[in-house]
Amino acid sequence: MFSPLENWLAARYLHIQTVIRKKKVYIAVTHTLGSLLPFVIIGSMLQAVSRSIFMQNGFFYSIYHIGEWLPAARSIGQVMNALSDITINFSLFLGAFLFAKYLARLYNLNDGIVGWVAMLAAMILQVNLLAGVSRINIGSSLTNNGGGVHNIFVGLLVGLTATQAYRGCAWIASHWQHAPATWQEETFVTRGLHAVFPVSVVLAVAVGLSLLISLTGQNGFAGLLLYSIALPRWAFSHAIVTIMLITLWNNVLNVVGLSGPLSPFSQLTVDSTQSSKNLTVALKTGSLNNLPYRVTFHTVYDVYGAMGGNGMTLALVVAIILLSRQPDRRKVGWWALFPTLMNFNDIALVGFPILFNPIYIVPYLLAPLVSMTVGWMPLHFGWVPPVVYNTFNTGPGFLTAFLGTNGNWAALLTSVLAFLAGLLVYVPFIRIDNLAWLQTLTGELPTQQQEEAKLSGEELIPARPHPAIKKTESY
């Protein structure tokens, strides 16, 4: 049975789903994320395994001293990291290609050409052309300039803009280019020739914008966008209200596909002045009592608010596995479990998905705040010591407090309570998601099969006898 609050939330959510599933952009976004999923799963597994097992500061590498009995461990890790770069760190460009491709189908455009021109435009915008065009410069620009899942919004934005620009240029070109009089005259060659003008315009504009971005000194379009919304350094005061507000802002950016200021791998919070002073005092006195800064971003957010990555994603993954009635959700949850334990939440972002999904936006924002409150209270009253010692970035989040306090059991208990609090935040929303799924099965919401039909081109393109080329085929 559902509580009154759950019934109210379910009604609101089902209404939102009914509305947004009719939008072309939302349909294309959902299909883009679904097509990205296999690459994200492979890349996330490679990242989690390489950084936790085969890297020098990895969790399992350090515990089991893997480097001592497997001399080639670091070489294996480097190879796996390179493979993960080809998958995870190219998600932005794959997203631009897929999003533009699906939009092109909905607009009756050549989906293959539009997809490719969008991906090329995204790559051009990420390369610093003023630094010189070389394989080294291009390779480092494409893999290191924020091209991963956490900045997928940039790829979608480029895909949308490229599609609309191509659409407008194709309309202009149609007024002076020769159009086939009959369907027999339409061939792959004529379609390619008609695309020369819109493709040239889109790529030329991308080159011009890339040159302008290079003048700013930022790392590509993604770097410029993140810089424009970045918080100033002085905003990171270590008051609990500030920590909560910045965490909220960080996770708002996450759910729309942008990386925020906080990350388990950014070292922004660990390397703060307050954390360094805490560590110095602890090493001098040999005690975790009377530290100058008990409440910091590191002792509150890193330790209690980012288990499994931003948004307390580990709590969501466990809740999905235990409570979801949807087979696909549970399968994604099992795939995401190990990477999320190692603080890689890309699979959850794309697979459930969390990105652009109204049902998971609210708990993704609330769960870290609730978990940090649970961790902050005993810290504030001196019931548990703050974390001061360096821990593993790729270790399970619920062990960070225990390891970072040199084995304090009260800190471990607080971590478990914070994790359970985050889990409880997600539970009612998973129940609502189950209800929405049941409504979909009974036909009260547009089904996935109906959405697929919209992208197949069958309902969008008038049928003609014996067509030489299907409009949805890639060129």
Side-chain angles (χ1 to χ4, degrees):
M1 297 294 294
F2 288 87
S3 66
L5 177 60
E6 288 176 327
N7 282 324
W8 182 83
L9 288 173
R12 302 284 79 75
Y13 171 64
L14 293 175
H15 174 71
I16 293 172
Q17 284 288 81
T18 303
V19 173
I20 63 177
R21 285 195 177 193
K22 299 176 183 178
K23 306 297 183 182
K24 291 182 177 180
V25 171
Y26 182 78
I27 295 170
V29 167
T30 57
H31 283 75
T32 298
L33 296 178
S35 299
L36 276 176
L37 184 58
F39 304 99
V40 173
I41 289 176
I42 294 171
S44 293
M45 294 299 293
L46 288 171
Q47 278 188 331
V49 171
S50 64
R51 297 191 185 184
S52 64
I53 298 177
F54 297 108
M55 289 298 177
Q56 191 169 6
N57 61 343
F59 181 71
F60 296 108
Y61 185 98
S62 301
I63 291 177
Y64 296 106
H65 307 286
I66 293 177
E68 297 179 5
W69 51 269
L70 184 61
R74 297 183 66 180
S75 298
I76 296 173
Q78 291 174 355
V79 172
M80 297 181 74
N81 261 336
L83 294 174
S84 69
D85 283 343
I86 300 174
T87 51
I88 286 289
N89 287 344
F90 270 73
S91 298
L92 186 154
F93 312 115
L94 290 175
F97 170 81
L98 292 167
F99 188 53
K101 180 182 177 72
Y102 289 129
L103 280 178
R105 289 187 180 181
L106 295 172
Y107 289 124
N108 300 339
L109 301 173
N110 189 307
D111 59 346
I113 294 178
V114 175
W116 276 106
V117 74
M119 185 170 70
L120 290 174
M123 290 181 171
I124 292 171
L125 290 172
Q126 285 302 100
V127 174
N128 187 337
L129 297 179
L130 296 181
V133 179
S134 65
R135 284 186 295 177
I136 296 177
N137 174 40
I138 293 176
S140 61
S141 297
L142 296 182
T143 57
N144 299 326
N145 287 358
V149 169
H150 290 268
N151 288 319
I152 191 65
F153 174 83
V154 177
L156 300 180
L157 179 60
V158 174
L160 175 62
T161 305
T163 302
Q164 296 297 348
Y166 183 99
R167 186 184 178 195
C169 292
W171 179 83
I172 294 173
S174 66
H175 288 74
W176 53 267
Q177 286 182 336
H178 168 70
T182 62
W183 67 266
Q184 290 93 338
E185 296 181 28
E186 185 179 30
T187 65
F188 285 109
V189 175
T190 56
R191 293 170 66 191
L193 291 174
H194 290 165
V196 171
F197 174 71
V199 168
S200 301
V201 172
V202 172
L203 294 183
V205 172
V207 170
L209 292 175
S210 181
L211 289 172
L212 293 176
I213 293 171
S214 300
L215 293 174
T216 67
Q218 298 301 317
N219 295 324
F221 179 50
L224 178 63
L225 182 60
L226 295 176
Y227 176 78
S228 65
I229 60 176
L231 297 173
R233 191 73 183 187
W234 55 262
F236 290 83
S237 66
H238 292 266
I240 186 60
V241 175
T242 304
I243 295 173
M244 294 284 188
L245 289 176
I246 292 180
T247 299
L248 183 63
W249 170 243
N250 178 81
N251 292 342
V252 166
L253 294 177
N254 289 166
V255 296
V256 297
L258 288 171
S259 58
L262 303 177
S263 168
F265 301 98
S266 68
Q267 294 298 308
L268 171 64
T269 54
V270 175
D271 293 343
S272 66
T273 303
Q274 290 80 359
S275 296
S276 300
K277 290 181 178 179
N278 280 347
L279 180 59
T280 301
V281 172
L283 293 175
K284 284 184 177 180
T285 63
S287 171
L288 298 181
N289 299 320
N290 302 319
L291 295 178
Y293 303 99
R294 298 184 64 85
V295 176
T296 68
F297 273 96
H298 180 46
T299 61
V300 177
Y301 173 77
D302 287 341
V303 177
Y304 300 110
M307 299 182 194
N310 297 327
M312 288 292 292
T313 314
L314 181 59
L316 172 60
V317 170
V318 173
I320 288 284
I321 292 173
L322 295 178
L323 301 174
S324 179
R325 299 178 63 180
Q326 304 177 54
D328 289 345
R329 290 273 198 274
R330 291 199 302 272
K331 290 177 183 177
V332 173
W334 283 112
W335 275 111
L337 183 59
F338 176 71
T340 308
L341 279 171
M342 300 299 108
N343 296 314
F344 296 94
N345 65 351
D346 303 83
I347 297 178
L349 287 173
V350 174
F352 290 144
I354 297 172
L355 294 170
F356 310 105
N357 188 347
I359 190 60
Y360 289 127
I361 289 177
V362 173
Y364 188 87
L365 301 179
L366 288 180
L369 304 183
V370 174
S371 297
M372 286 192 298
T373 301
V374 172
W376 168 77
M377 291 180 63
L379 271 177
H380 177 72
F381 292 106
W383 301 335
V384 298
V387 169
V388 296
Y389 303 114
N390 291 332
T391 57
F392 307 101
N393 284 337
T394 56
F398 54 83
L399 293 179
T400 301
F402 182 72
L403 297 174
T405 56
N406 200 24
N408 185 278
W409 290 100
L412 178 61
L413 176 61
T414 304
S415 289
V416 173
L417 293 176
F419 174 78
L420 292 177
L423 185 71
L424 291 176
V425 172
Y426 277 109
V427 167
F429 293 90
I430 293 174
R431 286 163 54 85
I432 295 170
D433 195 23
N434 289 336
L435 176 60
W437 177 66
L438 293 175
Q439 296 281 0
T440 302
L441 293 181
T442 58
E444 297 182 33
L445 284 176
T447 64
Q448 188 70 16
Q449 288 76 15
Q450 289 172 326
E451 294 181 10
E452 292 287 352
K454 292 179 182 179
L455 285 178
S456 68
E458 296 173 1
E459 298 180 2
L460 300 172
I461 303 173
R464 56 186 181 181
H466 309 294
I469 302 171
K470 293 182 180 178
K471 289 290 185 183
T472 56
E473 289 182 357
S474 299
Y475 179 65

